[in-house]
Amino acid sequence: NAGVTQTPKFQVLKTGQSMTLQCAQDMNHNSMYWYRQDPGMGLRLIYYSASEGTTDKGEVPNGYNVSRLNKREFSLRLESAAPSQTSVYFCASSETGDYGYTFGSGTRLTVV
Amino acid sequence: AQSVAQPEDQVNVAEGNPLTVKCTYSVSGNPYLFWYVQYPNRGLQFLLKYITGDNLVKGSYGFEAEFNKSQTSFHLKKPSALVSDSALYFCAVRDWNTGFQKLVFGTGTRLLVSP
């Protein structure tokens, strides 16, 4: 089925560890996004990529880095995880000019 | 800055009754407004959008939303709720501050439909 695939679905990290969240879409969309979802705060944009080869900071970029590896893949890296990064992370994609986003099923990350 | 407010953390309604989930917005340009739904342990799914035209927008699963410019509102409605409509609903607005399309989401409203 066409869509956005995120891996892993669950992850527990110790403070200071690093990890990369993977995201891939097979809809040939130009734009991709990383959001985090926290109770009472909705979804907040971490980074986005308007097109292959470009990335920009969103609302809450501190502590994260991203790579737009190709048109399909957009990864999110935590270099030194902190408990404040415990959250559910969602990747999304959209076509240029189409304001509807397609979301992945999320990665639930716990940092202890 | 563009923003949306969802004043209710939770809405409770009995099955078969009409439901309304409220959203108000604040934008500096033309409002492009959206509703998304999130079922447990799933990503968000697009329900409907208002870009221009008719103030009553129809979307997926029998939902509709009414755009009201004077009240800066975009409430989600359904004439007859189903238990399966129980989920988390997000309102969103296009961010006009940059040249690139980004959506700003509200904090979400949990809809609970009782049998």
Side-chain angles (χ1 to χ4, degrees):
Chain A
N1 291 334
V4 177
T5 302
Q6 291 183 237
T7 55
K9 293 189 182 303
F10 303 93
Q11 184 72 48
V12 178
L13 289 179
K14 294 182 179 179
T15 297
Q17 287 185 318
S18 62
M19 79 161 295
T20 299
L21 281 63
Q22 306 287 352
C23 175
Q25 52 95 5
D26 57 6
M27 296 168 287
N28 203 36
H29 285 169
N30 283 319
S31 306
M32 299 185 74
Y33 315 81
W34 276 106
Y35 284 87
R36 60 177 288 174
Q37 182 180 21
D38 302 291
M41 304 193 74
L43 275 78
R44 293 180 292 171
L45 183 63
I46 305 171
Y47 271 93
Y48 66 97
S49 172
S51 60
E52 184 179 357
T54 69
T55 61
D56 286 284
K57 295 179 180 179
E59 184 183 358
V60 288
N62 291 344
Y64 306 95
N65 285 300
V66 291
S67 296
R68 184 76 184 264
L69 304 171
N70 47 56
K71 192 171 186 179
R72 290 187 64 248
E73 298 172 286
F74 187 39
S75 62
L76 178 71
R77 183 161 179 83
L78 287 70
E79 292 291 352
S80 179
S84 61
Q85 294 178 304
T86 293
S87 187
V88 181
Y89 292 85
F90 287 100
C91 178
S93 70
S94 70
E95 187 48 85
T96 302
D98 174 11
Y99 302 98
Y101 288 12
T102 301
F103 281 84
S105 58
T107 296
R108 186 173 296 275
L109 175 67
T110 302
V111 183
V112 298
Chain B
Q2 276 60 234
S3 66
V4 289
Q6 295 182 244
E8 302 155 316
D9 290 336
Q10 182 163 313
V11 170
N12 298 305
V13 64
E15 188 173 34
N17 284 356
L19 69 87
T20 298
V21 181
K22 296 180 180 178
C23 173
T24 58
Y25 65 89
S26 174
V27 299
S28 56
N30 291 327
Y32 286 15
L33 298 158
F34 305 81
W35 276 102
Y36 284 80
V37 59
Q38 184 182 29
Y39 298 103
N41 300 315
R42 302 289 297 276
L44 279 71
Q45 297 177 32
F46 171 77
L47 271 181
L48 51 81
K49 65 182 178 183
Y50 172 84
I51 304 297
T52 186
D54 195 348
N55 289 343
L56 187 63
V57 179
K58 294 189 182 298
S60 307
Y61 312 121
F63 283 93
E64 57 190 24
E66 185 172 12
F67 171 69
N68 188 316
K69 188 172 184 178
S70 63
Q71 298 186 5
T72 62
S73 67
F74 188 56
H75 300 333
L76 182 69
K77 300 182 179 184
K78 188 173 183 182
S80 179
L82 299 172
V83 172
S84 58
D85 292 330
S86 298
L88 188 56
Y89 291 82
F90 289 95
C91 183
V93 65
R94 187 197 190 277
D95 181 359
W96 284 97
N97 280 340
T98 66
F100 175 71
Q101 57 174 347
K102 296 199 309 294
L103 295 184
V104 175
F105 288 85
T107 54
T109 298
R110 188 165 301 280
L111 174 66
L112 183 60
V113 182
S114 56

